[in-house]
Amino acid sequence: MNADAGSTRQSLLKAAYEEIHRYGFQAASLNAILDRTGVTKGALYHHFSSKLQLGYAVLDEHITDELESLWFKPMQQPGHPIEVLKAAIKQLGDHYECEEITLGCPLNNLAQEMSAIDDGFRQRVDTLYQRWQSSIEALLTRGQQQGSVNTSIDAADTAFFILASLEGCMSMAKNAQSHNELMRCGKGLMNYLNSLRA
Amino acid sequence: MNADAGSTRQSLLKAAYEEIHRYGFQAASLNAILDRTGVTKGALYHHFSSKLQLGYAVLDEHITDELESLWFKPMQQPGHPIEVLKAAIKQLGDHYECEEITLGCPLNNLAQEMSAIDDGFRQRVDTLYQRWQSSIEALLTRGQQQGSVNTSIDAADTAFFILASLEGCMSMAKNAQSHNELMRCGKGLMNYLNSLRA
DNA sequence: TCACCAACATACCAACCAGTATGTATCTCT
DNA sequence: AGAGATACATACTGGTTGGTATGTTGGTGA
């Protein structure tokens, strides 16, 4: 592979991610992505066989990587499971304060827009959501074994609900366009997490 | 106004709602809406000055009405606040079982897609969310006064979190395309609601 | 009865869209 | 050195989009 080939592909991926994050996949314009990068259409179609494949690549590579560093890595921290969770959520909130909170969670955006009309997107998002849920579930289970988390709850169901609430909070904050609403929602989430202690 | 004029407008609104519900506002095709209704383009632009205004009307009329009968009305029921909430949520779940759950909550869909790129949509959705939240808040406050809801919680914050969780649950279920996941998430939500009792 | 207007219908338009056909420069492998 | 592949660049196409210009029809008030 050419030395530049990788970077051309990466810059396309990054620009496509940003365009999709703002306008959604369907409304994202390939020409806008090309303008933004200075790459030509021939180059784009050399690296990706269609707009759909470009979208899949954004999910499989860029968004997966982001989730890795923003969630799965913080989840590896040692300590009280509830505190680790709270810290990971806080970090996520901080990140979306720097980035525009108004653009919402990229994964949730794609889930909402595409899951009903394209199964390729749906399955990819589903896989990521399952990994996300499993990471929370594992943490809760560990806490239950250690005696720091209430054993009367079902770890899997609870993990699923925590993830849903988290996405819901980001969704509400996105529409309200205010970090204040995100904090408000975060407060409710923190209260709920505290209620899971043993 | 002509006798048929109202019904033409209504059928456009209904078809537009369905098209937007499935494909989103931006991807909704006016021609598809026309095909579906048998109305001509001239008629459409006689009733609505632009696609955007049609979208606003769908929100202001169709979706607002749906929320009225699906949420605000059940919320008027007498009884224990937590039970009223649970019943309203259950009814909402049942409704989205009949309709395709995979299409998601119409309000949440529009919020996700449009809030970042059009302020007219954003403000309309925001108003509806605020009414929604207020209805939950009022119920919780009533419960606190009656002694049936824990007085240590902040009713406004909690109402906001409940709404966020609810939207999050529907969002997750939409992507999973399974009623099972909706039930799972509902279980978590019910547990949380029970924890709010006095 | 005649003017007027609401409620359409038909035909059209420029802009934009994803995608393609074709050409070319450079790099690699033999 | 020559063949082939990689990595683009340019110019184009057919289809779709939201929107418009112009015509027609039927009811209604003066």
Side-chain angles (χ1 to χ4, degrees):
Chain A
M1 190 187 284
N2 190 328
D4 277 8
S7 76
T8 299
R9 198 189 130 93
Q10 277 309 113
S11 76
L12 281 171
L13 236 36
K14 180 167 178 285
Y17 165 79
E18 288 165 1
E19 197 76 6
I20 291 171
H21 194 192
R22 176 168 298 269
Y23 300 104
F25 174 75
Q26 295 175 100
S29 159
L30 293 185
N31 289 328
I33 293 169
L34 297 177
D35 285 352
R36 190 193 279 252
T37 52
V39 172
T40 61
K41 194 161 273 196
L44 190 155
Y45 276 91
H46 172 73
H47 287 284
F48 303 97
S49 60
S50 67
K51 188 189 180 184
L52 198 62
Q53 292 302 321
L54 173 61
Y56 290 168
V58 166
L59 244 178
D60 291 338
E61 303 175 36
H62 199 109
I63 293 183
T64 299
D65 287 355
E66 196 171 300
L67 194 62
E68 199 71 49
S69 66
L70 236 68
W71 186 264
F72 294 118
K73 221 176 128 192
M75 288 298 269
Q76 307 282 18
Q77 291 297 110
H80 191 297
I82 302 293
E83 292 304 322
V84 172
L85 248 177
K86 284 164 75 173
I89 290 171
K90 196 178 174 309
Q91 185 172 328
L92 203 65
D94 289 347
H95 178 260
Y96 282 112
E97 188 180 12
C98 302
E99 283 220 7
E100 289 173 83
I101 176 76
T102 64
L103 296 184
C105 170
L107 187 56
N108 194 26
N109 287 2
L110 277 176
Q112 286 292 318
E113 181 190 3
M114 300 304 295
S115 71
I117 52 182
D118 182 88
D119 214 55
F121 270 110
R122 206 207 105 243
Q123 284 178 18
R124 282 168 170 81
V125 172
D126 199 47
T127 301
L128 282 175
Y129 272 151
Q130 273 174 31
R131 283 187 58 202
W132 198 335
Q133 184 216 331
S134 295
S135 73
I136 301 175
E137 182 183 339
L139 206 61
L140 292 176
T141 303
R142 202 191 82 204
Q144 286 178 323
Q145 287 163 352
Q146 290 173 343
S148 57
V149 169
N150 191 334
T151 52
S152 72
I153 62 158
D154 182 294
D157 289 354
T158 305
F160 198 82
F161 177 67
I162 290 172
L163 180 50
S165 301
L166 189 57
E167 290 291 11
C169 286
M170 287 198 282
S171 171
M172 295 291 287
K174 171 182 177 178
N175 192 75
Q177 292 199 343
S178 102
H179 193 253
N180 187 37
E181 306 294 309
L182 185 60
M183 295 307 289
R184 193 179 199 180
C185 219
K187 213 171 119 188
L189 189 49
M190 294 301 163
N191 282 340
Y192 172 68
L193 292 178
N194 284 331
S195 80
L196 300 177
R197 290 171 189 273
Chain B
M1 192 186 284
N2 191 327
D4 277 8
S7 76
T8 299
R9 199 188 129 92
Q10 277 310 111
S11 75
L12 281 171
L13 236 36
K14 181 167 178 285
Y17 165 79
E18 288 165 1
E19 198 74 8
I20 291 171
H21 195 192
R22 178 169 296 270
Y23 301 104
F25 174 76
Q26 296 176 102
S29 160
L30 292 184
N31 288 327
I33 293 170
L34 297 176
D35 284 351
R36 187 193 279 252
T37 53
V39 172
T40 61
K41 194 161 275 197
L44 190 155
Y45 276 90
H46 173 74
H47 287 285
F48 303 97
S49 60
S50 67
K51 188 189 181 187
L52 197 62
Q53 292 301 321
L54 173 62
Y56 289 169
V58 166
L59 244 178
D60 291 337
E61 302 174 38
H62 199 109
I63 293 183
T64 298
D65 287 356
E66 197 172 299
L67 193 62
E68 199 72 47
S69 67
L70 236 68
W71 186 265
F72 295 118
K73 221 176 128 192
M75 289 296 272
Q76 308 281 19
Q77 290 298 109
H80 191 297
I82 302 293
E83 292 304 323
V84 173
L85 248 178
K86 284 164 74 172
I89 291 171
K90 196 179 174 309
Q91 185 171 328
L92 202 66
D94 289 348
H95 178 262
Y96 282 112
E97 188 179 13
C98 302
E99 284 219 7
E100 289 172 83
I101 175 76
T102 65
L103 296 185
C105 170
L107 187 56
N108 194 26
N109 287 2
L110 278 176
Q112 285 293 319
E113 181 190 3
M114 300 305 294
S115 72
I117 53 183
D118 181 88
D119 212 56
F121 269 110
R122 207 207 102 241
Q123 284 178 18
R124 282 167 169 83
V125 172
D126 198 48
T127 300
L128 282 174
Y129 271 151
Q130 272 174 30
R131 282 187 58 202
W132 198 334
Q133 183 215 333
S134 294
S135 74
I136 301 175
E137 182 182 338
L139 206 62
L140 292 176
T141 303
R142 201 191 86 204
Q144 286 179 322
Q145 286 163 354
Q146 289 172 345
S148 57
V149 168
N150 191 333
T151 51
S152 72
I153 61 158
D154 180 294
D157 289 354
T158 305
F160 197 82
F161 178 67
I162 290 172
L163 181 50
S165 300
L166 189 57
E167 291 292 10
C169 286
M170 288 199 282
S171 172
M172 293 292 287
K174 171 182 177 178
N175 192 75
Q177 292 199 344
S178 104
H179 193 252
N180 188 37
E181 306 293 310
L182 184 61
M183 296 306 288
R184 192 180 200 180
C185 218
K187 213 171 118 189
L189 190 48
M190 294 301 164
N191 282 340
Y192 172 67
L193 293 178
N194 285 331
S195 79
L196 300 178
R197 290 172 190 273

